[in-house]
Amino acid sequence: MDLPHHGYRATKQRARGAPPTGDSVLFEDTSSAASGASSQGFYAPGYNMGEPSNHMQGGVGVNNLFTDPMANAAVMYGSSLANQGKDMVNKEISRFMSVNKLKYFFAVDTRYVLKKLMILMFPYTHQDWEVRYHRDSPMTPRQDVNAPDLYIPTMAFITYILLAGMALGIQKRFSPEILGLCASTALVWIIIEVLVLLLSLYLLTVHSDLSTFDLIAYSGYKYVGMIFTVLCGLLFGSDGYFVALAWSSCALMFFIVRSLKMKILPSLSSDSMGMGSSAKPQLRLYITVATAVFQPIIIYWLTSHLVR
Amino acid sequence: MAFTLYSLIQAAILCINAVAVLHEERFLSKIGWGVDQSVGGFGDEPGIKVQLMNLIRSVRTVMRVPLIGVNSVCIVLLLLFG
């Protein structure tokens, strides 16, 4: 009667007391390890992501967890197995993409998201498009509103899929297969666009600091425009659809040209020794403008069948 | 145009196959795109043609062996599932 209660309380105390002792624990806070590992990394000095581990302390150090030592040994063995599996998965994933770099793109807050959405819909009054750096590494989206992030594109993509399902349902054309088809179509177009951009940047030897994730982020910003267009098309009919399409196309083209101009165009102005440099800025301008012009086309392509 | 991820994979496999079958001495050297004609670009800016030739050569070198496996898998899947 008294014993199970004591065991339950002691288990909870053990769960709080385990991390400081460094025992094999099931859910450790990898963000603090990551911010310690990437010391020059993407987090500003004042920002501390190791906070969640602070309130896991306070362990009393009660060691008689289970009265049955076999169960105790089994728990420790199971948690060490899970830990090994987790380490292996992390190692495999970090061979393909750097998880730290991915975390940089998701370090956003509400103020950044609101300002970025405003800029995406009305970029004409935004003055300073320069991405700020902090000791030679780009600042996180929390501190710099011009930094690309992956949170808005991901959320916008998912919202677009849900909105497409709703639009099809309103017109009584819905079936679950169409939803999956719509999602994979949009995903395939993003992949194609990112691959074409990477190929053209490689062929023209543009040594910019645009990584693959940056390109995915900039390609994903068009989903915000798509959502706005589809909403206006659903609310106001065909006229509202075309007005919203024109508005979001212009805004998005302006945004893409201003953002990519900073990264692509002047990045090689220091070592262009006049050898064929007359061709280069033109070709880079073509890339930027072609990217911008591609956005309205794909917005129209992916949304016109939703709004009839 | 409704894409699935599988059609993207098929398109990618076809494109890489197309690049891999470009023969070095029968074709690429004839049109001036061989590997021995690309050494001109010392300095900083290689130019588009040299980059393209390098890309073709590296794709052929890297993807030759994996393409055997990927093509076999694709053929079996197409035979089984149409």
Side-chain angles (χ1 to χ4, degrees):
Chain A
M1 50 150 199
D2 200 17
L3 213 53
H5 187 59
H6 170 70
Y8 169 67
R9 240 188 314 130
T11 323
K12 271 179 44 170
Q13 276 169 346
R14 179 209 178 225
R16 291 214 189 95
T21 63
D23 276 347
S24 62
V25 66
L26 211 49
F27 301 108
E28 61 187 283
D29 184 40
T30 55
S31 61
S32 59
S35 71
S38 67
S39 56
Q40 80 276 3
F42 302 109
Y43 306 116
Y47 179 59
N48 183 18
M49 262 175 100
E51 283 177 23
S53 65
N54 283 342
H55 49 260
M56 276 208 274
Q57 292 172 0
V60 181
V62 175
N63 272 335
N64 50 345
L65 317 157
F66 291 90
T67 56
D68 185 12
M70 283 302 292
N72 187 14
V75 161
M76 303 258 319
Y77 180 63
S79 60
S80 81
L81 263 187
N83 224 20
Q84 274 177 11
K86 190 170 65 86
D87 286 341
M88 201 166 60
V89 165
N90 274 347
K91 196 161 65 77
E92 294 300 316
I93 287 186
S94 66
R95 276 204 307 184
F96 291 113
M97 59 181 183
S98 157
V99 187
N100 281 340
K101 189 121 177 64
L102 202 56
K103 277 187 185 171
Y104 159 79
F105 284 101
F106 283 99
V108 296
D109 59 350
T110 317
R111 195 183 57 93
Y112 168 81
V113 169
L114 284 177
K115 285 188 69 168
K116 195 80 179 192
L117 288 179
M118 272 289 303
I119 295 178
L120 276 172
M121 285 283 103
F122 196 76
Y124 310 108
T125 56
H126 188 65
Q127 305 292 340
D128 180 25
W129 293 84
E130 195 66 42
V131 178
R132 290 200 294 273
Y133 282 82
H134 172 76
R135 282 190 230 143
D136 209 28
S137 72
M139 294 176 105
T140 62
R142 286 182 199 240
Q143 292 117 16
D144 179 23
V145 83
N146 290 322
D149 73 313
L150 276 176
Y151 173 78
I152 292 181
T154 316
M155 293 295 139
F157 179 72
I158 298 177
T159 312
Y160 162 74
I161 296 175
L162 295 176
L163 202 59
M166 198 179 78
L168 288 176
I170 287 180
Q171 300 164 17
K172 307 218 177 355
R173 286 191 287 149
F174 180 77
S175 77
E177 292 92 24
I178 292 191
L179 207 63
L181 203 59
C182 198
S184 59
T185 306
L187 197 64
V188 162
W189 275 114
I190 282 196
I191 293 177
I192 290 180
E193 181 179 356
V194 169
L195 282 180
V196 166
L197 261 179
L198 277 175
L199 184 70
S200 54
L201 285 180
Y202 169 76
L203 282 184
L204 293 180
T205 62
V206 176
H207 299 296
S208 71
D209 53 351
L210 281 177
S211 71
T212 313
F213 288 134
D214 285 332
L215 289 178
I216 296 179
Y218 282 119
S219 298
Y221 280 138
K222 68 165 81 69
Y223 284 106
V224 180
M226 268 198 245
I227 292 173
F228 173 67
T229 311
V230 171
L231 271 179
C232 285
L234 285 179
L235 289 175
F236 302 119
S238 181
D239 301 330
Y241 171 70
F242 283 112
V243 166
L245 181 67
W247 174 270
S248 61
S249 309
C250 293
L252 206 62
M253 283 201 287
F254 191 82
F255 175 80
I256 290 284
V257 166
R258 288 299 294 265
S259 303
L260 290 183
K261 193 171 70 158
M262 294 286 171
K263 302 244 170 155
I264 300 186
L265 282 178
S267 65
L268 219 50
S269 59
S270 57
D271 56 337
S272 70
M273 297 191 294
M275 272 189 336
S277 66
S278 60
K280 290 311 166 59
Q282 244 183 347
L283 286 174
R284 292 179 203 208
L285 193 62
Y286 286 161
I287 290 183
T288 319
V289 170
T291 311
V293 166
F294 180 70
Q295 314 282 338
I297 297 178
I298 199 68
I299 291 181
Y300 176 72
W301 193 270
L302 284 178
T303 54
S304 69
H305 66 98
L306 297 176
V307 179
R308 284 291 166 76
Chain B
M1 206 184 309
F3 290 131
T4 58
L5 272 181
Y6 181 62
S7 62
L8 180 70
I9 295 178
Q10 268 190 321
I13 290 180
L14 282 177
C15 286
I16 300 186
N17 274 332
V19 173
V21 299
L22 297 173
H23 196 273
E24 184 57 51
E25 53 181 55
R26 286 185 206 156
F27 175 66
L28 291 178
S29 304
K30 298 282 172 53
I31 64 172
W33 277 23
V35 294
D36 50 347
Q37 291 140 351
S38 76
V39 288
F42 289 130
D44 44 5
E45 301 300 324
I48 298 188
K49 185 177 146 193
V50 174
Q51 289 285 97
L52 203 54
M53 283 157 38
N54 280 339
L55 185 65
I56 292 180
R57 183 165 52 97
S58 46
V59 164
R60 284 176 57 238
T61 316
V62 166
M63 297 300 294
R64 205 154 252 177
V65 174
L67 264 185
I68 299 177
V70 167
N71 279 337
S72 316
V73 166
C74 197
I75 289 173
V76 167
L77 280 181
L78 278 178
L79 282 176
L80 285 181
F81 299 117

